[in-house]
Structures are given as structure tokens and as C-alpha cells.
Amino acid sequence: MPKARISGMGVFIPEKVYDNAYFETIVDTSDEWITRRTGIKERHIAEPEDYTTDIASRAAQNALDNAGIKAEDIDLIILSTVTPDYFTPNCACVVQKNIGAVNAAAFDLNAACSSFITDMVTASQFIENGTYKNVLIVCADVLSKATDYKDRGTCILFGDAAGAAVLSAAEDGEGLISYELGADGAGCLNITQLAYREDAEETEKRVSGRKETVWMAGQSVMKFAVKAMADSSNRILEKAGLSYDDIKLVIPHQANYRIVDSAIKRMGIEKDKVYLHLEKQGNTSSSCIPVAIAEAAGKGLIERGDKVLIVGFGGGLTWGSAIFEY
Ligand code: COA
């Protein structure tokens, strides 16, 4: 059975930065509050003319270059976003056009911030069953377009970014070793962004009244996130017969330092096993994890053959975790 291994990674991070001092000028907040409650200092923000498919296409092209694979050799594109340019066409088709991946099937997959793990698990099925050789996964969000900049409880959290990975069929190595995907639909209204649905209560919750902006019940999400991330990680390790000692790096969804800190205490691991960039990038939804993998690899923190554990949670509510051989 072929294994699905990462053959290349690509990212796109916008240049413009909103630091905590900027938020002090637009809402009633302080650098001290934001730092203490979230760990975030800066977030990168896309230019107004840049949409999800624009930054997604740049990250996708970077991943192809990094993998040394031609666009025509991609068999499938899976794209994840909660800020699509259109309801139709899907964003994956737009990226297919932009990068010239003329032989690729293309669809979008939405598991919110848990999407990269969900994409990786989905892509691996197609590779392991022999259907496809090269699958391009792209996670991209311009959350700045879906942020209510009048709501101090959410606007300080989000940044824009895109991260992409090419998964390719390999005869050697282990590929995806263990994983779990989960959902708690009962908690679905804890994080919302509305499309066609008219809901007076949801509109009322938003300071600006813009129903397409992200709203969340912060405390409930925090409690869910800590348990979901820690317990899911522990379960997939046990399933694989591994321990944290076998894992080179744990890369969690980068939502809030306090969530990560509580989760790793529950996992029983030290901070130096965990990769974090949230201080510099904030929460970039599904892009957090692929961007973090690319950064960690670029810094030499993970090398070929190392086992990496990724774990995330998000709207839905969803969660996911995976152990793979880099
Ligand atoms: N600056 C100053 N005060 C703020 C503030 C800000 N930016 N945002 C909220 N507050 C205030 C609240 O109004 C509240 O004031 P009150 O006590 O007078 O009512 C107080 O701080 C506490 O608010 P609370 O929401 O309980 O704070 P918190 O400790 O839960 O932190 C979050 C808020 C949003 C940072 C935190 O809940 C969080 O990160 N949740 C998870 C969100 C997440 O991960 N979402 C991503 C899903 S992928």
C-alpha cells in the first residue's frame, strides 16, 4: 500500500501587521490584556484586494515549487476556508485555474480550524488506495474580512494566512500513522458565521450587526478546546502504541496561549516539545497548522523521518489529531 507523505510545503503570509497597539486605538483594550489573555502580539493582515483564492494560490505555487512537482501532476486539490470568495465556484477550482493544475479534481472541505487535519486524512485515503499520486491541500483564510472590528472579544484574535502541502504516494516511510476526526454538533452555535440564514438572535450578538462576521462563546470554546485537543492526542498515541517520547514535535492549532498551555499540561508534556507562532500571527484558522509545519521544517526543528503530532479544534464544533512521519 502506498504511503501518503508530505513532498512539499508552501506558505503565504501577508506583510501588513496589526499589533496590539493598533487595537488600543480601535477598541477598549490594552496590550497587557491581550498578551495576558491570549499570548498574541501581532497578526498579519491581507491587503483589501487580496481574497482567499489569491493568497491560497500563492501558497499552493510555493508548495509545488518546494515539492519539485509540476502543476499538471496534481491529481486532486482540496481547499479549506471559512472565508470563500464565492459559494460557487469552489475555491479549489479557482486555485486549479490560477496554478494551471489542469488534471486535478477540485473540491472544498470545511471543518473550520480542524480542516488541515481533515484534509490530510482525506487526501491520504485517496493515495493509500491507489487512486491518486499527488494531492494538493490548501488552507487559506482572510479572516480580516470576517472580523467584527468593533467586537473587542474577537477582533484581537485573528490574522490572515495560507498554508499548503503536497501529499505524494511513497513506497518508503510511514506516512499517516494514526489519526482521529471528531465533531460535537450539539455545540454548533458556539462559533458562528452566517450565510443565507436569517437569525435575529445571531445578528443581535454581533456588535456591528454583520451576521457574516465570526462570533463565539469564548469561554465555552476554551473549555471544549483544551479537553478535545489533549484527549484526542492521547487517544491517537495509544492507538499507535506510541508515547510522547516518540514524537519530535507537537503542533497544535494556534488559537490562544492559555488553551495550548492547559492542553499540554493535560497531555503531560513540556513546552519545548510544542511549536507555537501565535504571538506573531494570531489565529489564522485552518492555516495555522500547515504554516507551523512549514516554519518548523524551515528552522530544522523537524527533519525527514521525524514523527509529528498535529492537533486542532474549531467551529462545528470539530476536532482532529494526526501523527505522521515527516
Ligand atoms: N480587551 C479588554 N477586555 C476584554 C477584551 C479585550 N480585547 N475582550 C473581552 N474583554 C472583557 C470582557 O468584556 C469581559 O469583561 P466583563 O468581565 O466586564 O464582562 C472580560 O474581559 C472577560 O471576558 P471573557 O470573554 O470571559 O474573557 P476570556 O478570559 O474568556 O478571554 C478570549 C476571551 C476570547 C480571549 C477567550 O475566551 C478565548 O480565546 N476563547 C477561545 C476562542 C478560540 O479559540 N476561538 C477559536 C476557535 S478556532
Side-chain angles (χ1 to χ4, degrees):
M1 186 172 82
K3 301 293 179 188
R5 295 196 68 185
I6 292 178
S7 55
M9 300 284 313
V11 305
F12 178 80
I13 314 285
E15 273 177 27
K16 187 165 67 189
V17 170
Y18 284 176
D19 60 12
N20 289 348
Y22 170 74
F23 287 92
E24 290 176 346
T25 69
I26 63 165
V27 286
D28 180 13
T29 191
S30 64
D31 173 43
E32 191 275 326
W33 192 97
I34 301 171
T35 307
R36 187 164 41 83
R37 299 282 182 133
T38 71
I40 301 168
K41 288 278 193 191
E42 296 178 346
R43 327 90 192 115
H44 290 255
I45 303 294
E47 294 304 320
E49 67 274 18
D50 275 343
Y51 291 88
T52 290
T53 58
D54 300 310
I55 65 170
S57 300
R58 290 172 206 149
Q61 186 59 54
N62 290 340
L64 291 183
D65 294 345
N66 183 245
I69 286 175
K70 293 200 295 286
E72 307 89 80
D73 294 332
I74 296 294
D75 304 305
L76 171 67
I77 300 173
I78 305 176
L79 188 145
S80 294
T81 185
V82 293
T83 55
D85 299 26
Y86 314 95
F87 287 122
T88 192
N90 67 39
C91 292
C93 284
V94 181
V95 170
Q96 190 232 34
K97 169 186 72 97
N98 288 350
I99 62 172
V102 290
N103 298 311
F107 60 79
D108 287 4
L109 186 162
N110 180 358
C113 303
S114 313
S115 289
F116 183 77
I117 297 159
T118 314
D119 295 346
M120 196 177 193
V121 169
T122 306
S124 296
Q125 312 303 315
F126 286 112
I127 291 174
E128 288 176 2
N129 72 22
T131 305
Y132 294 133
K133 284 200 162 44
N134 296 304
V135 180
L136 172 66
I137 300 171
V138 195
C139 292
D141 271 299
V142 282
L143 281 174
S144 57
K145 296 190 197 298
T147 296
D148 186 343
Y149 284 102
K150 293 192 167 125
D151 177 5
R152 66 177 181 170
T154 56
C155 70
I156 50 140
L157 300 171
F158 302 122
D160 299 333
V166 180
L167 260 60
S168 300
E171 296 309 321
D172 60 330
E174 292 197 74
L176 191 59
I177 296 166
S178 184
Y179 63 83
E180 176 184 281
L181 302 176
D184 174 17
C188 64
L189 295 182
N190 278 304
I191 307 176
T192 53
Q193 257 182 287
L194 274 70
Y196 291 117
R197 194 177 183 91
E198 295 297 338
D199 184 326
E201 219 175 289
E202 286 288 334
T203 306
E204 186 68 21
K205 285 177 189 171
R206 274 112 175 128
V207 183
S208 67
R210 285 174 56 213
K211 66 176 185 166
E212 75 281 11
T213 57
V214 180
W215 178 88
M216 64 191 156
Q219 286 284 341
S220 307
V221 174
M222 281 211 326
K223 281 188 201 122
F224 159 77
V226 170
K227 193 167 178 318
M229 291 214 292
D231 295 358
S232 181
S233 301
N234 293 343
R235 280 192 295 267
I236 61 165
L237 273 170
E238 196 183 335
K239 203 157 80 178
L242 298 170
S243 78
Y244 285 107
D245 291 340
D246 300 306
I247 303 295
K248 186 70 190 293
L249 201 62
V250 173
I251 301 183
H253 177 47
Q254 315 270 318
N256 179 323
Y257 179 73
R258 283 154 61 210
I259 295 176
V260 175
D261 195 43
S262 301
I264 64 178
K265 281 192 182 118
R266 203 174 159 105
M267 294 175 192
I269 57 173
E270 299 298 325
K271 285 179 190 142
D272 59 5
K273 208 179 241 317
V274 181
Y275 185 83
L276 286 180
H277 67 200
L278 65 85
E279 183 183 342
K280 292 277 178 200
Q281 296 185 35
N283 180 352
T284 57
S285 189
S286 59
S287 312
C288 289
I289 290 177
V291 169
I293 296 171
E295 287 174 348
K299 291 175 182 172
L301 298 175
I302 51 173
E303 290 174 353
R304 290 291 172 191
D306 285 338
K307 291 184 179 64
V308 179
L309 190 155
I310 53 179
V311 58
F313 68 93
L317 297 166
T318 57
W319 75 86
S321 59
I323 299 167
F324 64 92
E325 186 184 290
Y326 179 65

